[in-house]
Amino acid sequence: MRARLRGYIDSVKQHLAQLSFRQGVVVLIMCVIFYVASFAQMALPISVKAKSVLWIVLFGCAKTAQYTGLAIVGVEGWRRIKAYMRLNKRKATEK
């Protein structure tokens, strides 16, 4: 059972590794959108139960997108994103 689960996880990792860096960045942007939506829905005039369900669903989608995006991008891709953000921050402070 454990070996079969390990094989399934490895095949999912291989499939995600075949996706491009750009696709990983798109998934990470979707993650941010889900996070914003999960907290913004609290301002809606609906019942507490509906807000709770929405929060659980949207937060779960955000976490799923986060881990999927990081798996697609990988360690080197994450370093690339951080370097890009630092470069933009420096440019903004120099202006």
Side-chain angles (χ1 to χ4, degrees), residues 42-83:
M42 291 180 191
L44 294 175
I46 54 178
S47 71
V48 174
K49 288 180 183 178
K51 287 181 184 183
S52 299
V53 170
L54 272 175
W55 187 82
I56 290 170
V57 169
L58 291 171
F59 196 77
C61 288
K63 280 296 185 186
T64 302
Q66 176 185 356
Y67 292 127
T68 304
L70 290 174
I72 294 170
V73 169
V75 175
E76 286 301 316
W78 183 245
R79 288 183 185 143
R80 221 169 115 185
I81 292 170
K82 283 172 51 176

Side-chain angles (χ1 to χ4, degrees), residues 1-87:
M1 178 77 172
R2 201 175 262 212
R4 196 163 79 180
L5 181 62
R6 174 56 66 190
Y8 177 72
I9 290 172
D10 289 340
S11 68
V12 169
K13 283 182 184 179
Q14 287 176 350
H15 178 70
L16 291 176
Q18 292 174 354
L19 298 174
S20 71
F21 174 78
R22 187 175 185 174
Q23 290 170 325
V25 171
V26 169
V27 172
L28 288 173
I29 290 170
M30 287 174 39
C31 164
V32 171
I33 292 169
F34 281 128
Y35 274 124
V36 169
S38 71
F39 289 102
Q41 59 82 26
M42 291 180 191
L44 294 175
I46 54 178
S47 71
V48 174
K49 288 180 183 178
K51 287 181 184 183
S52 299
V53 170
L54 272 175
W55 187 82
I56 290 170
V57 169
L58 291 171
F59 196 77
C61 288
K63 280 296 185 186
T64 302
Q66 176 185 356
Y67 292 127
T68 304
L70 290 174
I72 294 170
V73 169
V75 175
E76 286 301 316
W78 183 245
R79 288 183 185 143
R80 221 169 115 185
I81 292 170
K82 283 172 51 176
Y84 178 78
M85 302 270 271
R86 283 188 199 125
L87 181 66

